[in-house]
Amino acid sequence: MHTRRAGWFDAAVDRAVIDGIELEYEDEGVGEPVVFIHGALIADAFRPLLSEAALADRYRLVSYHRRGYVGSSGPGGEPAGIVGHADDCRRLMSHLGVGRAHVVGHSLGAAIGLQLALVAPELVCTLSLLEAGLLVGESAPAYRQDLVGSMGRYAEAGGNLAVHEFLERRWPAYRHELERMLPGAFEQAVTDAPTCYEADLPALLDWRLGEAEARKITQPALVVLGETSVGLHPRFGETYRTLLDWLPGAEGVILPEATHLLQTQYPGPTADALARFLARHPI
C-alpha cells in the first residue's frame, strides 16, 4: 500500500472497503452529487478545484484515490484496467448511496468516466471530460509512442526523472506552480509512480473507444481543453474536436492559458465552467 508523504494534505479522508479493495475518499458538501475521477500520477490534482465556492457551496463533492494511489489498495495481481476502475467507481457510488451523479474525469480519469457512462449509463447524469486521455485520430500513433517512451524512461531512470519529464511535457511551468498549489504533490507522485507506469499507462494503451461506442453516450457532456495544451501535443486539440463530433450531447469550452493540469493550475475558471454546465443540466 502506498503511503502519504510528509507535507501531504491534512484533509480528513475516509475509507471504503469494497470487495476486498480499500479506497480512500472524501465526501463533502450538500446538493447534487459530483464524482471526481483523477488521472495518472497526481491523485489530488482536483483538490484546488474542490475548494472553489462555485462548486463547494452548491454540490456534494465526492473525490477518491484510485487503486494504487496514496493510501488506497495497491493494484494487486491483475491490474484493474479502465473497465475495472469504472467498476470501482460504480461500487464506491453504491457504497455512498449515490444513485446518480455528475461525473468529472481528468485525463485517464476521463477515460474511466466514459467507460462508466457506457456500462452504467443510469448512474451518470452528466459527464465532464477534462483533456481526456484517448488515442484517436492522426495523433494516436505519436501519443502511443509518447506513453510507451514514458514507461521505458521510468524503467531505466526511475521515478524522479520520469515524473519530472511527464509533468514538464504537460505543464511546462509546473516546477514554479505545483508546489504552491499542492504542497508535496511531486514527492507523492514519485511514490505512486509504480501505479502510473506499471498499471495505468498500460491500461490506457489497452483500452479502446471508437465512434460507435462514443455515440452510445448520450448524456450531456462538457469537453474541456486548456488553450496552451494545443501547442504542446497535437493529441490535445484532436481529442477535443473528436469528442465534440462523436458525443451526441457534447459542448466544448477552452480555458485561456491553461495546460493539461488545468484544474490545478486554474481552479477558479475551471470550477466556474463546470458550475455553469452542471446548472444547465440538473439531476
Side-chain angles (χ1 to χ4, degrees):
M1 182 180 297
H2 294 191
T3 57
R4 194 181 302 273
R5 294 293 296 252
W8 197 241
F9 306 106
D10 296 326
V13 176
D14 293 310
R15 302 180 68 83
V17 181
I18 306 169
D19 295 339
I21 300 295
E22 294 190 26
L23 297 176
E24 290 186 330
Y25 71 90
E26 294 178 47
D27 184 358
E28 301 290 342
V30 176
E32 295 181 354
V34 186
V35 176
F36 295 84
I37 309 173
H38 69 81
L41 214 56
I42 298 183
D44 276 289
F46 278 118
R47 187 170 296 279
L49 180 73
L50 300 179
S51 64
E52 291 291 328
L55 295 175
D57 291 353
R58 303 176 191 176
Y59 295 97
R60 175 186 176 186
L61 307 181
V62 177
S63 61
Y64 68 103
H65 296 142
R66 294 190 292 103
R67 293 196 216 183
Y69 284 92
V70 196
S72 290
S73 293
E78 188 71 20
I82 301 300
V83 173
H85 283 297
D87 195 48
D88 284 351
C89 184
R90 178 188 62 79
R91 291 184 294 176
L92 178 63
M93 289 174 64
S94 177
H95 176 83
L96 297 176
V98 176
R100 189 165 170 82
H102 303 286
V103 175
V104 182
H106 171 244
S107 195
L108 184 143
I112 296 168
L114 286 161
Q115 179 66 30
L116 180 66
L118 275 173
V119 300
E122 71 281 0
L123 299 181
V124 181
C125 176
T126 68
L127 194 57
S128 296
L129 306 168
L130 280 57
E131 296 207 345
L134 301 180
L135 290 92
V136 294
E138 294 181 358
S139 63
Y143 183 31
R144 176 176 292 275
Q145 183 178 6
D146 180 69
L147 294 179
V148 171
S150 294
M151 292 159 57
R153 189 63 163 158
Y154 167 74
E156 70 182 23
N160 274 282
L161 187 57
V163 168
H164 162 66
E165 292 178 351
F166 193 89
L167 290 174
E168 192 172 51
R169 286 196 298 273
R170 290 156 176 79
W171 184 7
Y174 90 89
R175 283 176 176 248
H176 306 292
E177 296 295 322
L178 183 61
E179 185 64 22
R180 179 176 65 85
M181 300 299 293
L182 290 170
F186 182 87
E187 290 79 6
Q188 185 66 44
V190 173
T191 299
D192 293 338
T195 299
C196 173
Y197 293 102
E198 298 172 10
D200 272 3
L201 298 192
L204 186 60
L205 289 170
D206 287 342
W207 185 71
R208 297 288 184 275
L209 180 80
E211 182 175 359
E213 292 84 7
R215 292 203 175 278
K216 296 176 183 177
I217 301 172
T218 58
Q219 294 93 334
L222 182 66
V223 185
V224 185
L225 174 67
E227 181 185 42
T228 304
S229 292
V230 177
L232 297 177
H233 197 290
R235 67 105 170 175
F236 290 111
E238 184 167 22
T239 300
Y240 176 76
R241 294 187 298 272
T242 298
L243 287 172
L244 289 178
D245 180 46
W246 284 0
L247 296 173
E251 59 185 84
V253 62
I254 299 176
L255 295 182
E257 301 182 13
T259 60
H260 186 54
L261 272 82
L262 46 91
Q263 75 276 38
T264 306
Q265 185 183 17
Y266 291 116
T270 305
D272 290 342
L274 289 173
R276 288 193 297 270
F277 172 69
L278 300 183
R280 292 197 301 273
H281 302 284
I283 296 176

